[in-house]
Amino acid sequence: MLKIEIFSTMISIKHYAAIWFLVIVAVPSMAQNSGRIAIVPQPSQVTEHSGVFRITKVTRIKSDPAFSEVATLFAKQADIKAIGLKPETNGPSLINFVHAGKEIVADSAGYRLVITPEKITIMALTHTGALNGMESLLQLILLQPKTGEVPCAEITDHPRFGYRGVMLDVSRNFFPVPTIKRFLDLMALYKLNKFHWHLTDGPGWRLEIKKYPELTSETAWRTHKTWKEWWDSPRHYLDEGNPNAYGGYYTQEQAREIVAYAAQRGITVIPEIEMPGHSDEVLAVYPNLACSGKPFVNGELCLGNDSTFIFLKNVLTEVMAIFPSEYIHVGGDEADQSAWKKCPKCQKRMRDEQLKNESELQSYGVRRIEQFLSSKGRKLLGWDEILEGGLAPAATVMSWRGEEGGITAAKMGHEVIMTPGNYCYFDHYQADPATQPLAIGGYLTTENVYSYEPVPAELEGSKAKFIMGAQANIWTEFIPTIEHLDYMTYPRLLAMAEVTWSKKEDRNFESFRTRLQSHYRLLQRLNVNYCRPAYSLEIGTKFDYDAKKVKVSFKSEQFNPEIYYTLDGSEPTTSSQSYNGGFEATGPAKICAAIFENGKMKGKPTRLDIDFHLAIGKKVVYNQPYSKGYPAQKEATLVNGYRGSLTYGDGQWQGFDTNDMDVTIDLENPLALKTLAVSFIQQTGPGVFMPDFVEISLSDDGKDFRKVKTVNNDIPLTQSALTFKEFKFDLAGEKGRYIRVIAKNGQHGFLFADEVIIY
Ligand code: ACM
């Protein structure tokens, strides 16, 4: 039996021989890293030594009184995580938690971990530091191919940011207490320390409020199991106890249990109570708080009605009694202002308070709540919409619509948490959407998450200190099960852990990728249903336009894969050209490449046609602007020879937001033309549509254009699934220097184009 010694207490750990056996079976045979010191997030300093510390049945755990809770947790974690401790007979060995001085550990959240063959010592200044050291040790144990062995090393470590967060939306999909605890265990293992709990939203209120029992007896339960089915229905609720009701909520006792469980693991739980938007469920049971006075009409609370503020303060009073977190999140995102515009009470409020517009009305509401929270010693946290109409004096901003909100707030001296959609939204696809379960849209690979730098260049220097850290957001519209939650969270959360913990100069994707290989084993041991590395290839190209040459490279989530390719478009076999890290293609080429294992092709081959068409590298004038949110490669995008991939978020698809795409390409000389082709995307969920038509005009002087051809769209606007269409023009016999391409944005949504290919 493994013994743990804390003061005089002895705790014993069970020995899970059966699970030890399963673990061995689960270890895959493919390319793997040895995993010796593959800690994620990368520690500040690691010195590896030869030799190992063996955990045996006589290993003792000892602790200074300050860290007895941490030592107990370590023992329990070892048990829960069922590290198959191999019984051995050699002599006593010790794992020791030591309360160290500042000369050994300088940072309060830092630690020093020293592993020798005889002893493991975890040194820290504080409980948090000891926990962080403990989690590193736990990882080291779980990462080793040989269970029960810990490689000798000296590690000194502390975090870059104090805020290392994850938001989980439990409104669109409810997750029970044991799932939340498991989620917290995994967060702690990767040293993430803020759990932002999105507890309320239209699809269900999830926290017991004693003063307003209807919030949970009625609107914690909905008519349909999945968010999608419910969203497509009249969006009603059912009483608790109704046999057909779906949902759930946390009692206050359960929420307190979660808070304590998280605190034990160094995690602060930040509750979010949404206001004034995303409040359909509140208004279903308290319609007097809606501008219309009726249920199922509005989603926004009426801000002209004092009862709204009485309700919110009562709710927040109970919330603050459960959650000791300094930050209290009040939502603030995506409020529709149309009801306020027509509501006599809201309009009276605006006159009385001299508010110029509805944004100022929302800001007025946030300020009232902020004063209330401040009076109780708490800090208001909200999505970046709280900047509109004026930011409340001490509010902290969570920047989600890009980084702009965060930059503005930091410049004003407000604390900021960065969580921009393009890097932090884990509800986005993480691989080719055609191979994935339905997601909300977007495209965010583990590598994209890893590439995120929370301090924008604009803020380097004195304002950087206002960036408290960053956060991954897991919205659960399309995450109906616990397995799916794992799938969307891992391995991307490991990348976010390193983004927020490790020093900027220590972050290196190749190093992370190498360490990640052993974390797959760790995640398997913990039965985490992580998203497996894709077998697809990404083809990278670098054009030399003058020499008509292109450097080609392949990238994959597989570790050191065997790749074969052809340049004539035929499917590769193991007799085709083998890839050794980059090659040059001259002239047009049809690249077709695939990964092989044991002589067999894995997944589908990836194709890319390289074009040296007439418009490459030429000047493009935008008669109407491209979207600021989707600039892709700006003025170069449509003529750089790069085709977009399967997602409009890849930096090759350029967006046109509500206006037409209207560009003029200057070929520099009047040229005889053969064809022109331009592709668009349709994905109706996020509002991306085909143009009504594409029209081509030609000119020799750039002033007088003559219309030559129009191609109409034939994809129905009702076709919601991701669709691509090439609008192709036969220009045989035509000649011109300036080519104007207009794509009509009839839906006033988004158009996306990647390249105007002219021959
Ligand atoms: C958000 O994603 N609506 C904050």
Side-chain angles (χ1 to χ4, degrees):
M1 289 294 213
L2 183 70
K3 300 268 170 55
I4 297 127
E5 203 177 277
I6 295 156
F7 314 108
S8 56
T9 328
M10 302 288 276
I11 303 163
S12 49
I13 296 183
K14 274 179 265 161
H15 175 215
Y16 280 95
I19 291 172
W20 155 243
F21 171 74
L22 285 176
V23 163
I24 294 293
V25 172
V27 172
S29 63
M30 277 311 299
Q32 285 179 48
N33 175 262
S34 78
R36 266 182 70 86
I37 315 282
I39 296 172
V40 169
Q42 176 65 36
S44 318
Q45 254 183 334
V46 177
T47 312
E48 210 172 324
H49 296 301
S50 59
V52 293
F53 174 95
R54 286 201 171 76
I55 298 176
T56 71
K57 60 180 178 176
V58 291
T59 297
R60 290 176 304 135
I61 298 175
K62 192 166 170 258
S63 175
D64 279 341
F67 301 148
S68 60
E69 247 192 76
V70 182
T72 311
L73 183 66
F74 173 68
K76 265 206 252 165
Q77 295 275 16
D79 192 1
I80 289 167
K81 297 189 185 322
I83 311 157
L85 300 175
K86 202 174 179 194
E88 287 193 12
T89 49
N90 38 348
S93 58
L94 186 69
I95 299 175
N96 196 4
F97 289 81
V98 177
H99 193 190
K102 273 208 157 93
E103 68 288 357
I104 295 178
V105 182
D107 184 283
S108 64
Y111 65 91
R112 189 164 154 74
L113 173 60
V114 179
I115 303 155
T116 68
E118 296 77 35
K119 195 162 82 172
I120 295 179
T121 315
I122 300 116
M123 289 164 268
L125 214 53
T126 65
H127 175 83
T128 308
L131 272 168
N132 288 327
M134 183 275 268
E135 298 292 357
S136 283
L137 175 58
L138 199 57
Q139 274 197 17
L140 281 180
I141 295 170
L142 288 163
L143 286 167
Q144 306 313 311
K146 200 156 177 224
T147 317
E149 285 192 352
V150 191
C152 291
E154 284 174 64
I155 296 165
T156 309
D157 199 10
H158 66 270
R160 178 178 177 201
F161 292 107
Y163 192 110
R164 306 181 297 278
V166 190
M167 184 223 67
L168 181 63
D169 165 17
V170 293
S171 174
R172 291 175 179 84
N173 196 55
F174 177 73
F175 295 100
V177 169
T179 307
I180 302 296
K181 287 185 174 174
R182 178 174 173 278
F183 195 82
L184 292 167
D185 279 335
L186 286 164
M187 272 180 69
L189 188 60
Y190 290 103
K191 302 190 181 75
L192 291 150
N193 69 345
K194 307 288 176 195
F195 177 56
H196 168 180
W197 210 5
H198 185 80
L199 285 163
T200 75
D201 213 308
W205 182 284
R206 305 290 178 215
L207 179 69
E208 177 189 26
I209 301 294
K210 304 224 190 247
K211 210 175 185 92
Y212 301 105
E214 293 82 0
L215 288 172
T216 44
S217 65
E218 296 184 31
T219 54
W221 305 92
R222 67 182 177 221
T223 47
H224 294 75
K225 179 168 171 30
T226 64
W227 173 85
K228 177 92 173 69
E229 291 165 300
W230 178 79
W231 190 252
D232 292 340
S233 77
R235 299 178 202 166
H236 283 190
Y237 307 91
L238 291 171
D239 288 352
E240 183 172 21
N242 183 310
N244 290 86
Y246 289 97
Y249 63 91
Y250 309 99
T251 64
Q252 294 201 355
E253 195 184 336
Q254 286 173 323
R256 284 196 171 88
E257 189 185 323
I258 291 292
V259 167
Y261 190 88
Q264 263 188 344
R265 285 151 185 78
I267 298 170
T268 306
V269 182
I270 300 169
E272 180 181 350
I273 304 297
E274 267 274 16
M275 63 189 78
H278 288 280
S279 296
D280 318 61
E281 83 291 22
V282 174
L283 304 176
V285 279
Y286 305 117
N288 61 311
L289 305 182
C291 293
S292 65
K294 295 185 194 125
F296 309 114
V297 175
N298 308 113
E300 282 67 31
L301 296 158
C302 172
L303 296 177
N305 185 349
D306 275 328
S307 304
T308 296
F309 293 95
I310 294 167
F311 167 82
L312 290 173
K313 287 178 185 179
N314 285 336
V315 168
L316 289 172
T317 299
E318 292 193 34
V319 166
M320 285 187 283
I322 301 165
F323 298 94
S325 162
E326 190 177 23
Y327 284 136
I328 301 290
H329 204 303
V330 298
D333 58 321
E334 300 179 313
D336 179 353
Q337 302 178 343
S338 55
W340 301 336
K341 288 194 168 107
K342 289 179 285 182
C343 168
K345 282 186 194 152
C346 288
Q347 292 301 313
K348 178 171 187 311
R349 174 84 75 199
M350 285 170 60
R351 284 192 301 277
D352 291 350
E353 300 291 334
Q354 297 175 345
L355 307 170
K356 287 200 286 290
N357 52 41
E358 285 70 24
S359 291
E360 290 196 3
L361 176 64
Q362 172 162 350
S363 170
Y364 159 87
V366 174
R367 278 167 204 261
R368 268 183 80 164
I369 296 300
E370 202 232 344
Q371 277 167 11
F372 175 69
L373 292 175
S374 290
S375 76
K376 309 289 175 196
R378 306 301 181 97
K379 279 187 184 167
L380 179 142
L381 175 56
W383 299 111
D384 59 44
E385 284 90 333
I386 64 170
L387 275 157
E388 289 162 19
L391 186 56
T396 299
V397 172
M398 205 167 247
S399 192
W400 72 280
R401 297 176 300 176
E403 293 187 303
E404 261 170 55
I407 292 168
T408 306
K411 283 185 176 164
M412 289 160 69
H414 285 252
E415 290 182 358
V416 168
I417 291 138
M418 283 297 191
T419 178
N422 286 347
Y423 296 97
C424 301
Y425 270 49
F426 285 18
D427 53 343
H428 289 184
Y429 286 105
Q430 56 198 315
D432 175 357
T435 66
Q436 295 298 297
L438 183 65
I440 199 129
Y443 186 62
L444 179 64
T445 62
T446 300
E447 186 172 0
N448 296 146
V449 177
Y450 195 85
S451 73
Y452 185 53
E453 167 47 39
V455 179
E458 292 92 321
L459 296 177
E460 276 168 9
S462 67
K463 301 295 183 198
K465 64 171 186 277
F466 294 109
I467 306 297
M468 311 314 291
Q471 173 172 291
N473 290 337
I474 309 173
W475 300 101
T476 57
E477 279 93 340
F478 297 100
I479 305 183
T481 65
I482 296 164
E483 291 73 23
H484 202 110
L485 177 61
D486 271 2
Y487 185 82
M488 299 306 276
T489 308
Y490 295 97
R492 290 189 286 193
L493 197 58
L494 275 68
M496 184 53 79
E498 193 145 314
V499 164
T500 52
W501 176 281
S502 304
K503 287 202 290 268
K504 190 177 172 183
E505 58 272 27
D506 287 348
R507 273 169 45 204
N508 173 311
F509 185 69
E510 278 316 306
S511 153
F512 173 78
R513 204 165 116 82
T514 307
R515 282 174 285 126
L516 180 59
Q517 305 312 308
S518 350
H519 283 263
Y520 290 134
R521 169 169 45 228
L522 177 153
L523 294 171
Q524 287 166 10
R525 284 180 170 167
L526 302 184
N527 296 314
V528 176
N529 180 38
Y530 64 88
C531 176
R532 268 62 181 173
Y535 279 105
S536 58
L537 287 168
E538 210 177 287
I539 304 181
T541 45
K542 215 170 159 57
F543 277 78
D544 179 341
Y545 297 121
D546 296 332
K548 289 211 182 315
K549 276 202 272 196
V550 60
K551 281 201 177 119
V552 181
S553 57
F554 300 138
K555 221 163 66 172
S556 162
E557 288 186 343
Q558 296 297 317
F559 197 61
N560 298 336
E562 205 180 321
I563 301 170
Y564 293 93
Y565 66 93
T566 68
L567 295 176
D568 62 4
S570 62
E571 273 204 7
T573 66
T574 48
S575 316
S576 306
Q577 193 69 40
S578 152
Y579 177 72
N580 301 309
F583 60 91
E584 235 174 39
T586 47
K590 289 179 182 298
I591 302 171
C592 185
I595 294 177
F596 286 75
E597 272 177 21
N598 305 322
K600 289 214 169 67
M601 189 187 290
K602 301 295 289 186
K604 288 197 188 126
T606 307
R607 294 172 183 279
L608 184 76
D609 293 355
I610 297 175
D611 276 325
F612 286 90
H613 58 84
L614 298 176
I616 279 200
K618 298 295 189 288
K619 184 168 188 274
V620 181
V621 172
Y622 285 76
N623 305 311
Q624 295 198 51
Y626 52 77
S627 144
K628 276 198 198 139
Y630 293 91
Q633 306 305 312
K634 302 188 177 159
E635 277 71 14
T637 308
L638 299 174
V639 290
N640 64 358
Y642 296 92
R643 302 299 309 274
S645 67
L646 291 163
T647 165
Y648 55 78
D650 69 355
Q652 293 304 338
W653 288 102
Q654 187 164 61
F656 297 87
D657 184 357
T658 66
N659 55 259
D660 297 344
M661 168 177 142
D662 182 352
V663 297
T664 306
I665 299 166
D666 179 1
L667 297 178
E668 294 168 6
N669 291 301
L671 298 176
L673 305 169
K674 287 197 288 245
T675 58
L676 183 149
V678 54
S679 294
F680 290 86
I681 303 182
Q682 183 157 299
Q683 193 175 10
T684 61
V688 180
F689 291 96
M690 288 295 163
D692 289 0
F693 57 82
V694 180
E695 180 187 285
I696 306 298
S697 311
L698 298 177
S699 162
D700 287 331
D701 59 6
K703 293 190 193 90
D704 295 324
F705 281 86
R706 60 193 173 85
K707 227 184 271 178
V708 291
K709 253 178 197 159
T710 302
V711 173
N712 289 320
N713 175 41
D714 56 4
I715 304 290
L717 293 169
T718 49
Q719 186 161 313
S720 61
L722 182 66
T723 306
F724 299 84
K725 176 180 167 65
E726 186 176 67
F727 289 74
K728 197 154 188 207
F729 297 80
D730 181 355
L731 299 179
E734 300 288 351
K735 203 169 167 219
R737 169 175 169 176
Y738 296 94
I739 303 188
R740 186 170 179 183
V741 184
I742 298 175
K744 185 74 190 164
N745 192 344
Q747 300 308 304
H748 302 290
F750 270 103
L751 298 178
F752 276 97
D754 60 344
E755 184 80 0
V756 179
I757 301 164
I758 304 174
Y759 280 108

